[in-house]
Amino acid sequence: MARFTIKKCLRHFDDDLLKQYFEYKNISKEFPERTKKVKSIDIQDWFDYINGLDNANDINLDFREIYQLADESGIFAIIELAREKASSFLQDIQSIENDYNKSLFCFLKYPSLFKNASILHYVTELKSKKERINLKTVKNIDDVLSKKQELTEAVSVYYQSEDGRGKNCTIDDCIYEDRVCFIVYIEDFMKSYLQHEKGKLVRKTSIPTFEIVYVYYNQIGRLELSGGNIGSKKELDLFNIFNQVVLEDKKAVATLQKVYDFDKFLLDKEFELENDIDNKFDYIIVKQMRLSHKFDKNKRIIFEQDVEGGLKPMLDLLEQHKIDKNKFNLTQVVINIKFPGKGNRGSVAMKLTYPDRCNLSDSPSNLKAKKYIKKWKLEINP
């Protein structure tokens, strides 16, 4: 999504909805006046109005949250949750134009729906989540939610003992279809920054937070984890914390779990990247393959090509370079899939990395691509 600015929001917000927002904030200052030449209030007038308020920073934060959901994927998250909960929001927004106003309307009239959609949108847009499968299943999702405070405390204790940070910890949760999402906000180290005050440069301190995200599919025992570049040890520790605290399973989570079957690409002569009538793509390109030598850890080769036609053009390229497939393991593959849509709309670059990393998020177009992982039976999952 493009960079946030208040003026960008003001260009799209309806005047009447803006006035409702300021009334919601209990702001009594008189609104800017419309000019005779135009039907709406000038953007600069609204901008000056906001900057003249005592709580301008608070409004900036609200607008930033509204902006985060003011696009196709954000509105999709709101609509999906509204549909699940049979919310009247779906009827109310039919006459509201553009995604900015829909997001603002939801913020004002359906705050609980807006909060949950913000969580869902954040989680679904995350890429390169680590995964573990074959974990314990839980029939009742409320049993998972009931453990969230214990999970928060366990993560807090872990980071305090490991890093000396994380004394304060807060958790958000969201249920969507077949999964429950947890975002754990962990107190980081104190940081300093420079700021101007009355024309002088002063040093300020703050204690920010960082996030750990869990997405648990309770019916199939699948757990996804996202925490940035925290290292394999912490990733495994955090998997085990969830497994022990939430799932009440004392067995250790597998250190290395082969989730994707990479052998198919090189060794299965019958394997093809077949299209699906119900989820059809326009074309597909195996853009890149990374091959690692089975016996020489220092030898790795990356092949790239741009020819459409599924797997065959890439295999032909390997053949041209006389690659002995029995001496190499495929450790990463990039597959470009073009679904129907103008220009780049519908384009997805799927990257699978051995053993268990996938770059796809849970956005609508990425979910389409994920279905092909199952169709091609690349996922080793019961």
Side-chain angles (χ1 to χ4, degrees):
M1 195 173 186
R3 186 165 169 260
F4 163 79
T5 66
I6 287 184
K7 285 190 175 182
K8 186 178 294 182
C9 292
L10 293 174
R11 287 189 182 94
H12 296 280
F13 286 157
D14 178 79
D15 283 348
D16 291 334
L17 274 176
L18 265 178
K19 289 179 178 180
Q20 289 180 45
Y21 167 80
F22 291 118
E23 289 168 358
Y24 164 80
K25 301 292 286 186
N26 295 318
I27 295 171
S28 57
K29 183 180 176 181
E30 189 175 347
F31 297 124
E33 292 293 331
R34 289 185 174 90
T35 64
K36 294 180 180 179
K37 294 181 179 180
V38 294
K39 294 181 179 180
S40 61
I41 297 170
D42 185 76
I43 292 169
Q44 187 62 44
D45 289 343
W46 272 125
F47 186 73
D48 294 340
Y49 176 83
I50 292 170
N51 285 334
L53 298 172
D54 293 335
N55 57 345
N57 288 336
D58 184 34
I59 293 169
N60 189 303
L61 292 174
D62 283 350
F63 279 19
R64 188 179 292 273
E65 285 189 30
I66 294 164
Y67 174 79
Q68 292 299 325
L69 294 186
D71 64 3
E72 183 181 8
S73 60
I75 300 303
F76 175 82
I78 297 174
I79 289 174
E80 285 296 293
L81 287 178
R83 186 180 290 118
E84 260 195 2
K85 300 179 183 302
S87 170
S88 58
F89 173 82
L90 296 175
Q91 287 75 42
D92 292 344
I93 64 164
Q94 290 180 10
S95 60
I96 297 177
E97 65 173 357
N98 82 49
D99 293 339
Y100 283 81
N101 286 320
K102 287 182 174 71
S103 181
L104 175 56
F105 179 80
C106 185
F107 179 90
L108 292 172
K109 305 297 184 182
Y110 297 86
S112 178
L113 174 61
F114 185 91
K115 179 184 177 182
N116 286 330
S118 295
I119 296 171
L120 177 62
H121 180 251
Y122 176 75
V123 171
T124 55
E125 291 296 308
L126 286 173
K127 297 185 177 182
S128 299
K129 296 190 285 284
K130 297 289 285 186
E131 302 170 333
R132 288 295 182 272
I133 59 174
N134 299 330
L135 300 183
K136 183 179 176 181
T137 59
V138 180
K139 289 185 178 180
N140 188 350
I141 208 162
D142 288 335
D143 292 338
V144 178
L145 289 173
S146 68
K147 297 289 185 179
K148 70 177 185 179
Q149 190 54 43
E150 292 178 50
L151 177 63
T152 309
E153 293 170 0
V155 171
S156 175
V157 169
Y158 171 74
Y159 269 97
Q160 286 184 75
S161 63
E162 284 288 307
D163 297 346
R165 57 177 173 167
K167 181 179 180 181
N168 293 308
C169 234
T170 307
I171 194 167
D172 277 335
D173 64 83
C174 176
I175 300 172
Y176 174 58
E177 290 185 344
D178 56 349
R179 75 208 74 162
V180 58
C181 311
F182 292 116
I183 304 179
V184 187
Y185 302 92
I186 305 155
E187 188 175 72
D188 205 345
F189 297 116
M190 181 179 293
K191 300 184 187 299
S192 65
Y193 60 95
L194 296 175
Q195 176 178 308
H196 280 99
E197 282 189 359
K198 297 180 180 179
K200 293 184 178 181
L201 198 61
V202 296
R203 186 179 297 278
K204 294 282 188 176
T205 60
S206 67
I207 305 178
T209 63
F210 62 98
E211 296 113 34
I212 297 296
V213 177
Y214 290 106
V215 183
Y216 175 61
Y217 299 77
N218 63 303
Q219 296 297 323
I220 61 173
R222 181 191 189 101
L223 179 62
E224 298 174 342
L225 171 71
S226 178
N229 297 318
I230 58 176
S232 57
K233 180 186 180 300
K234 273 195 173 71
E235 286 175 347
L236 185 60
D237 289 344
L238 290 167
F239 272 124
N240 277 307
I241 287 172
F242 190 96
N243 193 46
Q244 293 172 17
V245 173
V246 179
L247 305 184
E248 298 182 337
D249 188 346
K250 302 305 178 185
K251 296 194 298 292
V253 173
T255 303
L256 187 65
Q257 188 171 49
K258 186 179 179 183
V259 175
Y260 300 112
D261 185 359
F262 289 88
D263 291 341
K264 279 179 174 288
F265 289 93
L266 298 183
L267 304 178
D268 187 347
K269 295 180 180 179
E270 304 298 321
F271 178 61
E272 293 182 9
L273 301 175
E274 297 178 344
N275 211 333
D276 190 335
I277 296 175
D278 297 325
N279 184 31
K280 198 170 184 179
F281 54 73
D282 292 341
Y283 62 82
I284 190 167
I285 299 172
V286 179
K287 173 72 175 177
Q288 184 185 101
M289 276 189 175
R290 187 180 73 192
L291 304 178
S292 300
H293 200 280
K294 290 182 178 180
F295 314 114
D296 185 351
K297 294 183 179 180
N298 296 316
K299 191 173 184 180
R300 190 167 67 180
I301 309 172
I302 296 176
F303 289 92
E304 286 194 12
Q305 65 92 36
D306 291 300
V307 181
E308 299 175 20
L311 184 57
K312 188 177 184 303
M314 179 61 80
L315 293 180
D316 289 344
L317 183 61
L318 299 183
E319 190 73 26
Q320 290 171 24
H321 287 79
K322 298 180 180 181
I323 297 297
D324 186 346
K325 300 173 191 173
N326 294 308
K327 292 183 179 179
F328 287 88
N329 286 322
L330 176 63
T331 54
Q332 189 177 87
V333 60
V334 177
I335 303 173
N336 290 352
I337 306 175
K338 178 63 172 71
F339 293 105
K342 292 183 179 180
N344 290 326
R345 291 179 68 87
S347 297
V348 177
M350 176 199 299
K351 180 190 290 185
L352 302 178
T353 305
Y354 180 87
D356 58 1
R357 191 176 289 275
C358 174
N359 75 319
L360 295 178
S361 67
D362 290 330
S363 65
S365 59
N366 279 218
L367 284 174
K368 285 184 177 182
K370 278 188 174 182
K371 290 180 180 179
Y372 277 98
I373 295 177
K374 292 187 179 295
K375 177 175 176 59
W376 299 329
K377 298 180 181 178
L378 298 176
E379 193 175 63
I380 302 173
N381 196 355

